[in-house]
Amino acid sequence: MATERDASRTTTGKVRAHQTQNERLTFEKSSPGKKGYKLPPLDVPAVNTAELLGETFRTTDGLLPELSEIEIIRHFTRLSTWNYAIDLGMYPLGSCTMKYNPRVNEFVSRIEGLAEAHPYRPDSLAQGIMEVIDLLQRCLIEITGMDTITLQPAAGAHGEFTGILLARAWHESNGNARKKIIIPDSAHGTNPATAAICGYQVENLKSNADGGIDLDALERQVDEETAALMLTNPSTIGVFENQIHKIADILHAKGALLYMDGANMNALVGKVRPGDFGVDVMHLNLHKTFSTPHGGGGPGSGPVACKKFLEPFLPTPVLVRTAGKEGTREKGKEGELHWDYDRPQSVGRVRAFYGNTGMFIRALAYILANGPDGLRQTTEDAVLNANYIRKKLEDLYELPYKTPSMHEVVFSDKRQQAKGVKTGDIAKRLIDYGFHPYTVSFPLIVPGALMIEPTESESVEELDLFIAAMRSIAKEVDEHPELVKTAPHSTRVSRLDEVGAARKPVLRWKPE
């Protein structure tokens, strides 16, 4: 069995056995009196801290760890070797677009005048960073084919929330907020949550045999109480809605809006613009499509672009360029940018200040570095990579929908289930081959889904390693299913008690 388990480390050339050192917590390694620093002599008069703080003065250090500098360095370096990262290999997470973050983006975002631009800086002293924001807005408007945009939302789900607030405000301005939002069964889970939190009833729409929108079912469901359809295009199975114009027409005929979840814009940029095929409002994920850092709790960025009729409702403030005097109020020098708060129909502020500015800088650096032709090429490469994986694996893994794939491909574990192996088992075994798992069991319309998105970042050599690993696992399922069902075997910790961890989490360290 050991030989079989080690095979994963040699057949693909991706990984092999490697020492991974144990590491205790800093609290456990602590020794009284050790220090990793030395402060300079005090250059201000000393004060009696206990006297100043009174009852709030601490008499102990709160069990803070005491370690030398080299112990601290080795501690965090050893911990870093346990992590998987985009700098180590591909993330085949479908629906998440975990692409590489170019270092030039990081360099530009750290330019002193940009990185240290304070949000309370007066407009007259913030023209540089405001020009950056303005240029990014104009780029995203051109890419999406929309008329206006706000960069304020801090993430994709936050963008959804803002977009549906715009739709609600517009309906209310027409005298009827309406009652329901239609959401396809293939939607991201945040879509129904967004609709509900904005006060709408959620109506599910079943997909057709191709995994797309059933036009007849949609036409039956849309009525004068429908506020919008929340549609992901391409859908979560990687399929482009080729009847999107008809979908828009059905909605607009009843006064409803077409909201597009832009999570999968990685398949569209430079090729087609949502504003041109009938979308009224949409969000973008800068941390997906435009390569700003993704995950780890943020910061993210989820701009919302919309058509002109929704502009009065955008969150305040809105970035505008001064044309000179407006009535009796001096708005600043002609051509200067400033924040406009005087917007009586606005849905209000949805984020402190104007969003995560560091993400704006990174996204703009990515857009300008690629240019129009480069952005189009990234889209084409993302679609090519997904279809390359599809073609190389479709003989071993079930393909539930034969519709052409865009930027991601969704298989199912139907064939492997005959041996008692499920998608989660395959994903865990993939770890032994040196890859981060794909997205497991999503979308829900595909039982036992294996959702794979390689992005444009990956070379054919890396894709071939991934394909070889997946083919090897399929062979293991046929010959040694228990090997897969008990994976991973090469990690520091094998299968966890996930239910126990969720029900009885250990959230703080306590000394023995």
Side-chain angles (χ1 to χ4, degrees):
M1 182 62 75
T3 302
E4 293 164 356
R5 291 179 179 180
D6 291 341
S8 66
R9 306 188 184 110
T10 57
T11 55
T12 69
K14 175 70 175 172
V15 289
R16 61 178 172 178
H18 178 269
Q19 93 172 1
T20 307
Q21 297 192 43
N22 292 322
E23 188 63 19
R24 293 178 295 159
L25 298 174
T26 55
F27 301 96
E28 296 169 319
K29 296 160 66 74
S30 177
S31 295
K34 284 190 176 182
K35 288 185 178 179
Y37 65 92
K38 186 175 182 180
L39 296 177
L42 193 65
D43 59 355
V44 296
V47 297
N48 187 326
T49 313
E51 190 176 296
L52 283 175
L53 296 177
E55 293 181 357
T56 60
F57 178 73
R58 294 188 67 156
T59 56
T60 68
D61 62 6
L63 293 176
L64 293 175
E66 298 177 79
L67 300 167
S68 68
E69 179 177 326
I70 193 170
E71 287 176 312
I72 285 290
I73 293 294
R74 287 175 176 170
H75 171 73
F76 286 106
T77 300
R78 284 195 285 258
L79 287 182
S80 73
T81 67
W82 299 2
N83 294 336
Y84 192 84
I86 194 70
D87 293 347
L88 289 176
M90 71 182 288
Y91 274 83
L93 283 168
S95 196
C96 272
T97 314
M98 297 286 282
K99 65 171 74 178
Y100 172 67
N101 310 137
R103 289 304 183 266
V104 67
N105 301 3
E106 299 303 312
F107 172 80
V108 174
S109 70
R110 285 165 170 76
I111 292 174
E112 186 177 356
L114 299 176
E116 297 182 6
H118 197 283
Y120 281 142
R121 182 182 294 182
D123 292 353
S124 60
L125 300 178
Q127 290 300 298
I129 191 66
M130 292 167 87
E131 289 284 359
V132 168
I133 293 171
D134 179 66
L135 179 55
L136 175 61
Q137 291 190 158
R138 287 186 283 122
C139 288
L140 296 179
I141 286 170
E142 174 61 28
I143 287 168
T144 59
M146 307 301 269
D147 298 323
T148 187
I149 195 168
T150 176
L151 305 186
Q152 205 174 123
H158 197 197
E160 290 175 23
F161 170 74
T162 304
I164 297 302
L165 285 184
L166 297 182
R168 186 179 188 91
W170 179 74
H171 283 303
E172 285 176 341
S173 72
N174 293 326
N176 180 12
R178 303 201 169 196
K179 293 181 179 178
K180 66 180 183 181
I181 284 180
I182 299 173
I183 298 178
D185 55 7
S186 63
H188 287 112
T190 50
N191 288 181
T194 292
I197 206 169
C198 289
Y200 284 106
Q201 299 169 12
V202 176
E203 277 197 4
N204 186 253
L205 177 64
K206 297 290 184 184
S207 299
N208 60 24
D210 295 325
I213 295 295
D214 186 322
L215 292 182
D216 292 335
L218 178 64
E219 193 144 27
R220 288 193 297 270
Q221 278 189 249
V222 177
D223 56 29
E224 284 71 17
E225 291 299 335
T226 304
L229 167 71
M230 294 184 76
L231 178 69
T232 305
N233 191 31
S235 70
T236 50
I237 60 167
V239 170
F240 185 80
E241 297 285 354
N242 55 17
Q243 301 200 75
I244 188 69
H245 278 294
K246 293 182 180 178
I247 293 171
D249 290 344
I250 291 171
L251 293 163
H252 294 157
K254 294 295 177 103
L257 302 184
L258 175 55
Y259 177 91
M260 191 179 116
D261 183 322
N264 296 338
M265 273 296 287
N266 214 43
L268 303 183
V269 174
K271 304 295 289 186
V272 64
R273 307 191 311 171
D276 296 338
F277 55 63
V279 172
D280 298 300
V281 56
M282 65 176 293
H283 84 266
L284 294 162
N285 298 76
L286 297 192
H287 51 286
K288 293 186 178 185
T289 309
F290 299 101
S291 88
T292 69
H294 191 155
S301 185
V304 173
C306 61
K307 291 296 180 66
K308 187 72 176 176
F309 68 92
L310 292 172
E311 184 175 25
F313 311 102
L314 287 176
T316 55
V318 171
L319 189 63
V320 296
R321 194 175 292 277
T322 301
K325 291 185 177 180
E326 291 186 12
T328 59
R329 290 182 300 167
E330 178 65 59
K331 284 286 188 179
K333 295 179 182 178
E334 187 171 346
E336 276 193 354
L337 291 160
H338 70 275
W339 298 111
D340 181 12
Y341 291 85
D342 187 16
R343 303 182 62 81
Q345 290 185 284
S346 169
V347 297
R349 185 188 284 279
V350 297
R351 176 74 168 80
F353 306 114
Y354 195 65
N356 291 321
T357 311
M359 300 301 104
F360 306 162
I361 298 166
R362 289 172 171 89
L364 182 60
Y366 178 81
I367 291 169
L368 296 181
N370 280 285
D373 293 339
L375 291 174
R376 188 178 305 110
Q377 184 69 50
T378 63
T379 297
E380 292 171 354
D381 288 348
V383 174
L384 177 64
N385 283 354
N387 280 279
Y388 182 71
I389 288 176
R390 170 176 168 155
K391 192 66 179 175
K392 293 287 188 176
L393 294 181
E394 63 184 357
D395 62 320
L396 295 178
Y397 294 92
E398 185 75 14
L399 198 61
Y401 294 101
K402 304 301 187 282
T403 319
S405 295
M406 295 290 285
H407 63 301
E408 60 193 4
V409 57
V410 180
F411 296 104
S412 83
D413 62 9
K414 185 176 180 180
R415 299 179 193 177
Q416 287 69 36
Q417 281 214 43
K419 294 281 189 174
V421 175
K422 299 181 180 180
T423 177
D425 302 319
I426 300 167
K428 285 179 168 60
R429 181 59 175 152
L430 193 56
I431 296 172
D432 288 330
Y433 284 81
F435 289 96
H436 192 283
Y438 48 78
T439 296
V440 175
S441 303
F442 184 81
L444 299 179
I445 59 171
V446 177
L450 293 74
M451 191 182 194
I452 300 168
E453 180 181 359
T455 82
E456 75 281 1
S457 300
E458 305 308 328
S459 65
V460 67
E461 290 81 7
E462 184 78 3
L463 295 182
D464 284 341
L465 289 174
F466 175 78
I467 290 162
M470 292 295 290
R471 296 190 68 85
S472 180
I473 293 169
K475 184 179 180 181
E476 290 171 350
V477 171
D478 288 336
E479 298 176 358
H480 307 288
E482 283 302 313
L483 178 65
V484 181
K485 287 195 283 186
T486 54
H489 305 289
S490 61
T491 51
R492 299 187 57 78
V493 179
S494 189
R495 298 212 172 191
L496 302 177
D497 178 2
E498 296 178 11
V499 175
R503 296 290 184 268
K504 299 177 181 179
V506 178
L507 300 179
R508 72 176 282 196
W509 174 83
K510 294 180 180 179
E512 294 182 3

